[in-house]
Amino acid sequence: MKRPHGQKGFAAFTLVELLVVVAIIGVLAAILLPIRNTPDTSLRTHCMSNLRQISLGILLRCEEADENAKLHGGTNLAGLNWTVYFNWINNAISTPDRSSGQKRLLVCPADKFYYDPKTLAEIRQPLHEQSFSDHSSYAFNGPNVRTNPAVRGIEGRTSSSIKNPARTVLVAEGPAYVPYSWHEPKRHSADRPPFNNVKNGIGYVDGHVSYTKIFWTNNHPAGTLAVDQEPPAGYDYKWSPD
């Protein structure tokens, strides 16, 4: 469309030009949206570093005692023994006293929510801010002190008695025991937690850490939590020391 002689301004976009602009915006959106939705791997890296230090702290504490020292997480709530490892290994790890409020080693930066263990409702608060978690994002594999005899863990076992230390869980992110995931959260869906094959950070009895998928099924005879269910072949971890 031509402008009248002497008229200032720009000519209007043609339909073809407008369609080209819309197409470009669509291509850019398709490129950028997956990036925006990609989990923050820096948070996961930080979390895995915490797990490595905690795992080594527990193992060093056992070694300082003697090679047959029993693995344990301390004691907190009756029937549970998986979150007070900090008090037991405090001298073996370089971290400020937790009473100062500077407990970075116990906090996963991706820990922004948790699921209520009884109702399975999503709570938009960090797990490490809750007293029942002993203000930690991580949990020791010690649920075998619970009354359910089918539940397996490593509480009270010596490190030398663990048959496969490279696959046996020592300590893990709290969600691994349920399971759900802070790093690849499933939200706003028809499903409710627990979820099968979500990924969590795990520290093993041999001292290494990995980011691995957790097995769960809703019809397991041993119990409803992931920690109640020994994974089948194809998974890289086990709860049982045997």
Side-chain angles (χ1 to χ4, degrees):
M1 179 178 179
K2 295 183 178 180
R3 297 194 305 270
H5 181 71
Q7 180 177 333
K8 297 181 179 180
F10 297 97
F13 281 113
T14 65
L15 179 59
V16 173
E17 290 170 333
L18 185 60
L19 290 174
V20 170
V21 171
V22 170
I24 293 173
I25 293 174
V27 170
L28 291 175
I31 294 172
L32 294 176
L33 280 177
I35 296 175
R36 184 174 181 178
N37 291 331
T38 300
D40 191 336
T41 56
S42 66
L43 299 184
R44 190 174 75 202
T45 299
H46 186 154
C47 201
M48 297 296 287
S49 175
N50 287 354
L51 271 172
R52 181 176 289 104
Q53 293 182 68
I54 292 169
S55 298
L56 292 177
I58 293 174
L59 296 172
L60 284 172
R61 177 64 180 81
C62 283
E63 186 177 333
E64 285 178 357
D66 64 75
E67 64 178 5
N68 291 316
K70 292 181 179 180
L71 297 164
H72 66 85
T75 359
N76 61 339
L77 303 177
L80 295 178
N81 198 16
W82 44 20
T83 57
V84 196
Y85 54 81
F86 177 88
N87 295 327
W88 185 55
I89 65 173
N90 192 32
N91 294 330
I93 55 178
S94 55
T95 183
D97 189 292
R98 67 188 310 169
S99 62
S100 69
Q102 300 183 30
K103 47 186 175 59
R104 292 182 180 274
L105 188 62
L106 304 179
V107 175
C108 174
D111 176 0
K112 304 295 184 183
F113 66 96
Y114 70 96
Y115 285 100
D116 183 277
K118 294 183 178 179
T119 67
L120 297 182
E122 181 182 358
I123 309 298
R124 296 299 183 92
Q125 297 175 11
L127 180 64
H128 67 265
E129 290 183 357
Q130 313 308 313
S131 59
F132 69 81
S133 69
D134 203 40
H135 304 285
S136 174
S137 298
Y138 311 103
F140 179 78
N141 180 19
N144 54 307
V145 297
R146 287 165 33 179
T147 56
N148 183 353
V151 174
R152 304 307 300 272
I154 62 173
E155 170 67 27
R157 295 290 294 260
T158 62
S159 57
S160 59
S161 73
I162 308 296
K163 290 187 176 180
N164 195 335
R167 294 188 68 241
T168 304
V169 178
L170 176 68
V171 63
E173 294 175 326
Y177 296 85
V178 177
Y180 57 95
S181 176
W182 288 322
H183 307 286
E184 301 177 23
K186 293 184 178 182
R187 294 180 178 176
H188 310 300
S189 70
D191 295 327
R192 287 172 61 84
F195 301 108
N196 186 36
N197 289 337
V198 292
K199 289 188 174 182
N200 284 279
I202 294 178
Y204 296 83
V205 174
D206 73 341
H208 88 280
V209 299
S210 73
Y211 183 62
T212 190
K213 63 181 181 180
I214 306 297
F215 171 76
W216 176 84
T217 178
N218 63 358
N219 59 358
H220 199 284
T224 58
L225 298 179
V227 71
D228 300 331
Q229 308 176 11
E230 203 70 293
Y235 289 79
D236 296 329
Y237 73 96
K238 60 196 299 283
W239 303 110
S240 172
D242 299 318

